[in-house]
Amino acid sequence: MSRPYNFSAGPAALPEAVLEQAGEELLDWNGAGASVLELSHRGPEFMRAAEKAEADLRTLLSVPDDYAVLFLQGGATTQQALIPLNFAAPRQAADYILTGHWGATAIKQAQPYVDARVAADTADGGYRDLPARADWALSEGAAYVHYTANETIHGVEFDGIPDVGDVPLIGDFSSSIASGPLDISRFGVIYAGAQKNLGPVGLTVVIVRRDLLARTGQARAPILDYSAHERAGSMLNTPPTFNWYLAGLMFQWMLDEGGVEEFARRSAVKSQLLYAAIDGSDGFYRNTVERSARSRMNVVFSLHDEKLDARFLEQARAAGLISLKGHRVLGGMRASIYNAMPVSGAQALADFMADFQKRNG
């Protein structure tokens, strides 16, 4: 029996090939006589896997040598609190660009530690567009500028990297990392929860320019210190070894599939299929995001009559299309089409949407 297409926003679908390999190796990993779940994170077997995962991620994302790669716990939200602790002096200004729910979450995590300033905000418009760069009110002497590259709930995404001059740019790429080429040298820090494009929930990748690790920051315990994690090879405490291992399988799978250039191509095809289904429905389906700001990763839409929502979800599930219910903040529907979602999944959803409209229009 074939598996359904899973449009979950996170924890998201993983490629079948990755799941199958993990299943085959679960009881005896590489001849170690035990599962990777049962082996020491400091043992030679796991150390080799950790080193390969980092090397593969560096290759996949073209990470420059002057950037450290950390594999940490706590999700993106924890990083949002650690960023001001590590890179800003107490009450120093830090600029935030708010384009959706997760940008608003990031500034809340920073407010206890810095003078967190809203440099641009699209809340009044319902987070349906991106603020023009010329309208950003950046602060003189800010420790950094933070933005969310892709907002999973509101379905908006930056096309390109904003220019903020010499101030370190920090990007939350949790839902769009590895979906296309990215010039990491333009950033001070990139961070991403793994559970959308990089692997399972429970692991977070932080890519940080090494000179920033020398910043004094604020008083903090070693476990909250990025430089301490870097010196310890991301093993300051026991890391989530299975998650790290599984992410390593994902990195290898993405490289084997053609790397970020290929996933950029697939993302364009998948998102175009779904937006065409919405825009060509004569209002039966609606997406209110400005077209220039539409996300390639999270396609949000509503039906013209919300009374049809339950029927849509029930029949979609019966057709092998699951996890399409929208976030509680917005309601409606959301199709998350991360790297593990094949083009055939987006095509199947577009076909179902057309058929559902014929039967219920």
Coordinates of all heavy atoms in Angstrom, one line a residue, residues 87-162:
F87 N 25.3 37.8 21.0 CA 25.8 38.7 20.0 C 25.5 40.2 20.3 O 25.9 41.1 19.5 CB 25.3 38.4 18.6 CG 25.6 37.0 18.2 CD1 24.6 36.1 17.8 CD2 26.9 36.5 18.2 CE1 24.9 34.8 17.4 CE2 27.2 35.2 17.8 CZ 26.2 34.4 17.4
A88 N 24.9 40.5 21.4 CA 24.6 41.9 21.8 C 24.9 42.2 23.2 O 24.8 41.3 24.1 CB 23.1 42.1 21.6
A89 N 25.3 43.4 23.5 CA 25.5 43.8 24.9 C 24.1 44.0 25.5 O 23.1 44.2 24.8 CB 26.3 45.1 24.9
P90 N 24.1 44.0 26.9 CA 22.8 44.2 27.5 C 22.1 45.6 27.1 O 22.8 46.6 27.1 CB 23.2 44.3 29.0 CG 24.4 43.5 29.1 CD 25.1 43.7 27.8
R91 N 20.9 45.5 26.7 CA 20.1 46.6 26.2 C 20.6 47.3 25.0 O 20.1 48.4 24.6 CB 19.9 47.6 27.4 CG 19.4 47.0 28.7 CD 18.3 46.0 28.6 NE 17.1 46.5 27.8 CZ 16.2 45.7 27.4 NH1 16.2 44.4 27.6 NH2 15.1 46.2 26.8
Q92 N 21.5 46.7 24.3 CA 21.9 47.2 23.0 C 20.8 47.1 22.0 O 20.0 46.2 22.1 CB 23.2 46.5 22.5 CG 23.7 47.0 21.2 CD 25.0 46.3 20.7 OE1 25.4 45.3 21.3 NE2 25.6 46.8 19.6
A93 N 20.7 48.0 21.1 CA 19.7 48.0 20.1 C 19.9 46.8 19.1 O 21.0 46.4 18.8 CB 19.7 49.3 19.2
A94 N 18.8 46.1 18.8 CA 18.8 45.1 17.8 C 17.5 45.2 16.9 O 16.5 45.4 17.5 CB 18.8 43.7 18.4
D95 N 17.7 45.2 15.6 CA 16.6 45.4 14.7 C 15.9 44.1 14.2 O 16.6 43.2 13.9 CB 17.1 46.2 13.5 CG 17.4 47.7 13.8 OD1 16.8 48.2 14.8 OD2 18.3 48.2 13.1
Y96 N 14.6 44.2 14.2 CA 13.8 43.0 13.8 C 12.8 43.4 12.7 O 12.2 44.4 12.7 CB 13.0 42.4 15.0 CG 13.9 41.6 15.9 CD1 14.8 42.2 16.8 CD2 13.9 40.2 15.8 CE1 15.6 41.5 17.6 CE2 14.8 39.5 16.6 CZ 15.6 40.1 17.5 OH 16.4 39.3 18.3
I97 N 12.8 42.6 11.6 CA 11.8 42.7 10.5 C 10.7 41.7 10.8 O 11.0 40.5 10.8 CB 12.5 42.5 9.2 CG1 13.8 43.2 9.1 CG2 11.6 42.8 8.0 CD1 13.7 44.7 9.3
L98 N 9.5 42.2 10.9 CA 8.4 41.3 11.3 C 7.5 41.1 10.0 O 6.8 42.1 9.6 CB 7.6 41.9 12.4 CG 8.4 42.3 13.7 CD1 7.4 42.6 14.8 CD2 9.3 41.1 14.1
T99 N 7.4 39.9 9.5 CA 6.6 39.6 8.4 C 5.7 38.5 8.6 O 5.1 37.9 7.7 CB 7.5 39.3 7.1 OG1 8.4 38.3 7.5 CG2 8.3 40.5 6.7
G100 N 5.5 38.1 9.9 CA 4.6 37.0 10.2 C 4.7 36.5 11.6 O 5.5 37.1 12.4
H101 N 4.1 35.4 11.9 CA 4.0 34.9 13.3 C 5.4 34.6 13.9 O 5.7 35.0 15.1 CB 3.2 33.6 13.3 CG 3.1 33.0 14.6 ND1 2.2 33.3 15.6 CD2 3.9 32.0 15.2 CE1 2.4 32.5 16.7 NE2 3.4 31.7 16.4
W102 N 6.3 34.1 13.1 CA 7.6 33.6 13.7 C 8.6 34.8 13.8 O 9.4 34.8 14.7 CB 8.2 32.5 12.8 CG 7.3 31.3 12.9 CD1 6.6 30.7 11.9 CD2 7.0 30.5 14.1 NE1 5.9 29.7 12.3 CE2 6.1 29.5 13.7 CE3 7.4 30.6 15.4 CZ2 5.6 28.6 14.6 CZ3 6.9 29.7 16.3 CH2 6.0 28.7 15.9
G103 N 8.4 35.8 13.0 CA 9.2 37.0 13.3 C 8.8 37.7 14.6 O 9.6 38.2 15.3
A104 N 7.4 37.7 14.8 CA 6.9 38.3 16.1 C 7.4 37.4 17.2 O 7.7 38.0 18.3 CB 5.4 38.3 16.0
T105 N 7.5 36.1 17.1 CA 8.0 35.3 18.1 C 9.4 35.6 18.4 O 9.9 35.6 19.6 CB 7.8 33.8 17.8 OG1 6.4 33.5 17.6 CG2 8.4 32.9 18.8
A106 N 10.2 35.8 17.4 CA 11.6 36.0 17.6 C 11.9 37.3 18.4 O 12.7 37.3 19.3 CB 12.3 36.2 16.2
I107 N 11.2 38.3 18.1 CA 11.4 39.6 18.9 C 11.0 39.4 20.3 O 11.6 40.0 21.3 CB 10.7 40.8 18.2 CG1 11.3 42.1 18.7 CG2 9.2 40.8 18.4 CD1 10.9 43.3 18.0
K108 N 9.9 38.6 20.6 CA 9.5 38.4 22.0 C 10.6 37.7 22.8 O 10.8 37.9 23.9 CB 8.2 37.6 22.0 CG 7.0 38.4 21.6 CD 5.8 37.5 21.6 CE 4.5 38.2 21.1 NZ 3.3 37.3 21.0
Q109 N 11.3 36.7 22.1 CA 12.3 36.0 22.8 C 13.5 36.9 23.1 O 14.3 36.6 24.0 CB 12.8 34.8 21.9 CG 11.7 33.8 21.6 CD 11.2 33.1 22.9 OE1 12.0 32.8 23.8 NE2 9.9 32.9 22.9
A110 N 13.7 37.9 22.3 CA 14.9 38.8 22.5 C 14.6 40.0 23.4 O 15.6 40.5 24.0 CB 15.3 39.4 21.1
Q111 N 13.4 40.3 23.7 CA 13.1 41.5 24.4 C 13.6 41.5 25.9 O 13.9 42.6 26.4 CB 11.5 41.7 24.4 CG 11.0 42.3 23.1 CD 9.5 42.3 23.0 OE1 8.8 41.6 23.7 NE2 9.0 43.2 22.1
P112 N 13.8 40.4 26.6 CA 14.3 40.5 27.9 C 15.8 40.9 27.9 O 16.3 41.3 29.0 CB 14.2 39.1 28.4 CG 13.1 38.5 27.6 CD 13.2 39.1 26.3
Y113 N 16.5 40.8 26.8 CA 18.0 41.0 26.8 C 18.5 42.2 26.0 O 19.6 42.7 26.3 CB 18.6 39.7 26.1 CG 18.1 38.4 26.7 CD1 17.3 37.6 26.0 CD2 18.3 38.1 28.1 CE1 16.8 36.4 26.6 CE2 17.8 37.0 28.6 CZ 17.1 36.1 27.9 OH 16.6 35.0 28.4
V114 N 17.7 42.7 25.0 CA 18.2 43.8 24.2 C 17.1 44.8 24.0 O 15.9 44.6 24.3 CB 18.7 43.3 22.8 CG1 19.9 42.5 22.9 CG2 17.6 42.5 22.1
D115 N 17.4 45.9 23.5 CA 16.4 46.9 23.0 C 16.0 46.5 21.7 O 16.5 47.0 20.6 CB 17.1 48.3 23.0 CG 16.1 49.4 22.5 OD1 14.9 49.1 22.4 OD2 16.6 50.5 22.3
A116 N 15.0 45.6 21.7 CA 14.6 45.0 20.4 C 13.6 46.0 19.7 O 12.5 46.3 20.2 CB 13.8 43.7 20.7
R117 N 14.0 46.4 18.5 CA 13.3 47.4 17.8 C 12.7 46.8 16.5 O 13.3 46.1 15.8 CB 14.2 48.6 17.4 CG 14.9 49.2 18.7 CD 15.8 50.4 18.2 NE 16.4 51.0 19.4 CZ 17.2 52.0 19.4 NH1 17.6 52.5 18.2 NH2 17.7 52.5 20.5
V118 N 11.4 47.2 16.3 CA 10.8 46.8 15.0 C 11.2 47.8 13.9 O 10.7 48.9 13.9 CB 9.2 46.8 15.2 CG1 8.6 46.4 13.9 CG2 8.8 45.9 16.3
A119 N 12.0 47.3 13.0 CA 12.5 48.2 12.0 C 11.6 48.2 10.8 O 11.6 49.1 10.0 CB 13.9 47.7 11.5
A120 N 10.7 47.2 10.6 CA 9.7 47.1 9.6 C 8.7 46.1 10.0 O 9.0 45.1 10.6 CB 10.3 46.7 8.2
D121 N 7.4 46.3 9.6 CA 6.4 45.4 10.2 C 5.2 45.5 9.2 O 4.8 46.6 8.7 CB 5.9 46.0 11.5 CG 4.9 45.1 12.2 OD1 4.5 44.0 11.6 OD2 4.6 45.4 13.4
T122 N 4.7 44.3 8.8 CA 3.6 44.3 7.9 C 2.3 43.7 8.6 O 1.4 43.3 7.9 CB 3.9 43.4 6.7 OG1 4.3 42.1 7.1 CG2 5.0 44.0 5.9
A123 N 2.3 43.8 9.9 CA 1.1 43.3 10.7 C -0.2 44.0 10.3 O -1.3 43.4 10.2 CB 1.4 43.5 12.2
D124 N -0.1 45.3 10.1 CA -1.4 46.1 9.7 C -2.0 45.5 8.5 O -3.3 45.6 8.3 CB -1.1 47.5 9.6 CG -0.8 48.2 10.9 OD1 -1.1 47.6 12.0 OD2 -0.2 49.4 10.9
G125 N -1.2 45.0 7.6 CA -1.8 44.4 6.4 C -2.1 42.9 6.5 O -2.3 42.3 5.5
G126 N -2.0 42.4 7.7 CA -2.3 41.0 7.9 C -1.1 40.1 7.5 O -1.3 38.9 7.2
Y127 N 0.1 40.6 7.4 CA 1.3 39.9 7.0 C 1.0 39.2 5.6 O 1.4 38.1 5.4 CB 1.6 38.8 8.0 CG 2.1 39.3 9.3 CD1 1.5 38.8 10.5 CD2 3.1 40.2 9.5 CE1 1.9 39.3 11.8 CE2 3.5 40.7 10.7 CZ 2.9 40.2 11.8 OH 3.3 40.7 13.1
R128 N 0.5 40.0 4.7 CA 0.3 39.5 3.3 C 1.3 40.0 2.3 O 1.2 39.7 1.1 CB -1.1 39.9 2.9 CG -2.3 39.3 3.7 CD -3.6 39.8 3.1 NE -4.7 39.1 3.8 CZ -5.3 39.7 4.9 NH1 -4.9 40.9 5.3 NH2 -6.3 39.1 5.5
D129 N 2.3 40.8 2.8 CA 3.2 41.3 1.9 C 4.6 41.5 2.6 O 4.6 41.2 3.8 CB 2.8 42.7 1.3 CG 3.5 43.1 0.0 OD1 4.4 42.3 -0.4 OD2 3.1 44.1 -0.5
L130 N 5.6 41.9 1.9 CA 6.9 42.1 2.5 C 7.2 43.6 2.5 O 6.8 44.3 1.5 CB 8.0 41.4 1.8 CG 7.9 39.9 1.8 CD1 8.9 39.3 0.8 CD2 8.1 39.3 3.2
P131 N 7.8 44.2 3.5 CA 8.1 45.6 3.6 C 9.2 46.0 2.6 O 10.2 45.3 2.5 CB 8.5 45.9 5.0 CG 9.1 44.5 5.5 CD 8.3 43.5 4.7
A132 N 9.0 47.1 1.8 CA 10.0 47.5 0.9 C 11.3 47.9 1.7 O 11.2 48.5 2.8 CB 9.5 48.7 0.2
R133 N 12.4 47.4 1.2 CA 13.7 47.7 1.9 C 13.9 49.2 2.1 O 14.4 49.5 3.2 CB 14.8 47.1 1.0 CG 16.2 47.4 1.6 CD 16.4 46.8 3.0 NE 17.7 47.3 3.5 CZ 17.9 48.4 4.2 NH1 16.8 49.2 4.4 NH2 19.0 48.7 4.7
A134 N 13.5 50.0 1.3 CA 13.7 51.5 1.4 C 12.9 52.0 2.7 O 13.2 53.1 3.2 CB 13.2 52.2 0.2
D135 N 11.9 51.2 3.1 CA 11.1 51.7 4.2 C 11.6 51.2 5.6 O 11.0 51.5 6.6 CB 9.6 51.3 4.0 CG 9.0 51.9 2.8 OD1 9.5 53.0 2.4 OD2 8.1 51.3 2.2
W136 N 12.6 50.4 5.6 CA 13.1 49.8 6.9 C 13.8 51.0 7.7 O 14.6 51.7 7.1 CB 14.1 48.7 6.6 CG 13.6 47.5 6.0 CD1 12.4 47.3 5.4 CD2 14.2 46.2 5.9 NE1 12.2 46.1 4.9 CE2 13.4 45.4 5.2 CE3 15.5 45.7 6.3 CZ2 13.7 44.0 5.0 CZ3 15.8 44.4 6.1 CH2 14.9 43.6 5.4
A137 N 13.5 51.0 8.9 CA 14.1 52.1 9.8 C 15.1 51.4 10.7 O 14.8 51.0 11.9 CB 13.0 52.7 10.7
L138 N 16.3 51.2 10.1 CA 17.4 50.5 10.8 C 18.0 51.5 11.8 O 18.2 52.6 11.6 CB 18.4 49.9 9.9 CG 17.9 48.9 8.9 CD1 19.0 48.4 7.9 CD2 17.2 47.7 9.6
S139 N 18.5 50.9 13.0 CA 19.0 51.7 14.1 C 20.5 51.8 13.9 O 21.2 50.9 13.6 CB 18.7 51.0 15.4 OG 17.3 50.7 15.6
E140 N 21.0 53.0 14.2 CA 22.5 53.2 14.3 C 23.0 52.4 15.4 O 22.5 52.5 16.6 CB 22.8 54.7 14.4 CG 24.3 55.0 14.3 CD 24.6 56.5 14.3 OE1 23.6 57.3 14.2 OE2 25.7 56.8 14.4
G141 N 24.1 51.7 15.2 CA 24.8 51.0 16.3 C 24.0 49.7 16.7 O 24.3 49.1 17.8
A142 N 23.1 49.2 15.9 CA 22.4 47.9 16.2 C 23.4 46.8 16.2 O 24.4 46.7 15.4 CB 21.3 47.7 15.2
A143 N 23.2 45.8 17.1 CA 24.0 44.6 17.2 C 23.9 43.8 16.0 O 24.8 43.1 15.5 CB 23.7 43.8 18.5
Y144 N 22.7 43.7 15.4 CA 22.4 42.9 14.3 C 21.0 43.2 13.7 O 20.2 44.0 14.4 CB 22.4 41.4 14.6 CG 21.5 41.0 15.8 CD1 20.1 40.8 15.6 CD2 22.0 40.9 17.1 CE1 19.3 40.4 16.6 CE2 21.1 40.5 18.1 CZ 19.8 40.3 17.9 OH 19.0 40.0 18.9
V145 N 20.7 42.7 12.5 CA 19.3 42.8 12.0 C 18.8 41.4 11.8 O 19.5 40.5 11.2 CB 19.3 43.5 10.6 CG1 17.9 43.5 10.0 CG2 19.9 44.9 10.8
H146 N 17.6 41.1 12.3 CA 17.1 39.7 12.2 C 15.8 39.7 11.3 O 15.0 40.6 11.4 CB 16.7 39.3 13.6 CG 16.0 37.9 13.7 ND1 14.7 37.7 13.3 CD2 16.5 36.7 14.1 CE1 14.5 36.4 13.4 NE2 15.5 35.8 13.9
Y147 N 15.7 38.7 10.5 CA 14.5 38.5 9.7 C 14.2 37.0 9.5 O 15.1 36.2 9.7 CB 14.6 39.2 8.4 CG 15.3 38.5 7.3 CD1 14.6 38.0 6.1 CD2 16.7 38.3 7.3 CE1 15.3 37.4 5.1 CE2 17.4 37.6 6.3 CZ 16.7 37.2 5.2 OH 17.3 36.5 4.2
T148 N 13.0 36.7 9.2 CA 12.5 35.4 8.9 C 12.4 35.2 7.4 O 11.5 35.9 6.8 CB 11.2 35.1 9.6 OG1 11.3 35.4 11.0 CG2 10.8 33.6 9.5
A149 N 13.2 34.4 6.9 CA 13.2 34.2 5.4 C 11.9 33.7 4.8 O 11.5 34.2 3.7 CB 14.4 33.3 5.0
N150 N 11.3 32.8 5.5 CA 10.0 32.3 5.0 C 9.1 32.1 6.2 O 9.5 31.5 7.2 CB 10.2 30.9 4.3 CG 8.9 30.3 3.8 OD1 8.4 30.7 2.8 ND2 8.4 29.3 4.6
E151 N 7.9 32.6 6.1 CA 6.9 32.5 7.2 C 6.0 31.4 6.9 O 5.1 31.5 6.0 CB 6.1 33.8 7.4 CG 6.9 34.9 8.1 CD 7.0 34.8 9.6 OE1 6.4 33.8 10.1 OE2 7.7 35.6 10.3
T152 N 6.0 30.3 7.7 CA 5.3 29.1 7.4 C 3.8 29.3 7.6 O 3.0 28.6 6.9 CB 5.7 28.0 8.3 OG1 5.5 28.3 9.7 CG2 7.2 27.6 8.1
I153 N 3.3 30.2 8.5 CA 1.9 30.3 8.8 C 1.3 31.2 7.8 O 0.2 30.9 7.3 CB 1.7 30.8 10.2 CG1 2.2 29.7 11.2 CG2 0.3 31.2 10.5 CD1 2.1 30.2 12.7
H154 N 1.9 32.4 7.5 CA 1.3 33.4 6.7 C 1.6 33.2 5.2 O 1.1 33.8 4.3 CB 1.7 34.8 7.1 CG 1.0 35.1 8.4 ND1 1.6 34.8 9.7 CD2 -0.2 35.7 8.7 CE1 0.8 35.2 10.6 NE2 -0.3 35.8 10.1
G155 N 2.6 32.3 4.9 CA 2.9 32.0 3.5 C 3.6 33.1 2.7 O 3.3 33.3 1.5
V156 N 4.5 33.8 3.4 CA 5.3 34.8 2.6 C 6.7 34.5 2.7 O 7.2 33.9 3.7 CB 5.0 36.2 3.2 CG1 3.6 36.6 3.1 CG2 5.4 36.3 4.7
E157 N 7.5 34.8 1.7 CA 8.9 34.5 1.6 C 9.7 35.6 0.9 O 9.2 36.2 -0.1 CB 9.1 33.2 0.8 CG 10.5 32.7 0.7 CD 10.6 31.4 -0.1 OE1 9.7 31.0 -0.7 OE2 11.7 30.8 0.0
F158 N 10.8 35.9 1.4 CA 11.7 36.8 0.8 C 12.4 36.2 -0.4 O 12.8 35.1 -0.4 CB 12.9 37.2 1.8 CG 12.5 38.3 2.8 CD1 11.8 38.0 3.9 CD2 12.8 39.6 2.5 CE1 11.5 38.9 4.9 CE2 12.4 40.6 3.4 CZ 11.8 40.3 4.6
D159 N 12.4 36.9 -1.5 CA 13.0 36.5 -2.8 C 14.3 37.3 -2.8 O 14.4 38.5 -3.3 CB 12.2 36.8 -4.0 CG 12.8 36.4 -5.3 OD1 13.8 35.6 -5.2 OD2 12.3 36.8 -6.3
G160 N 15.4 36.8 -2.4 CA 16.7 37.5 -2.3 C 17.0 37.8 -0.9 O 16.3 37.7 0.1
I161 N 18.3 38.3 -0.7 CA 18.8 38.6 0.6 C 18.8 40.1 0.8 O 19.4 40.9 0.0 CB 20.3 38.1 0.7 CG1 20.3 36.6 0.5 CG2 20.9 38.4 2.1 CD1 21.7 36.0 0.3
P162 N 18.2 40.6 1.8 CA 18.2 42.1 2.1 C 19.6 42.6 2.4 O 20.4 42.0 3.1 CB 17.2 42.3 3.2 CG 17.2 40.9 3.9 CD 17.4 39.9 2.9

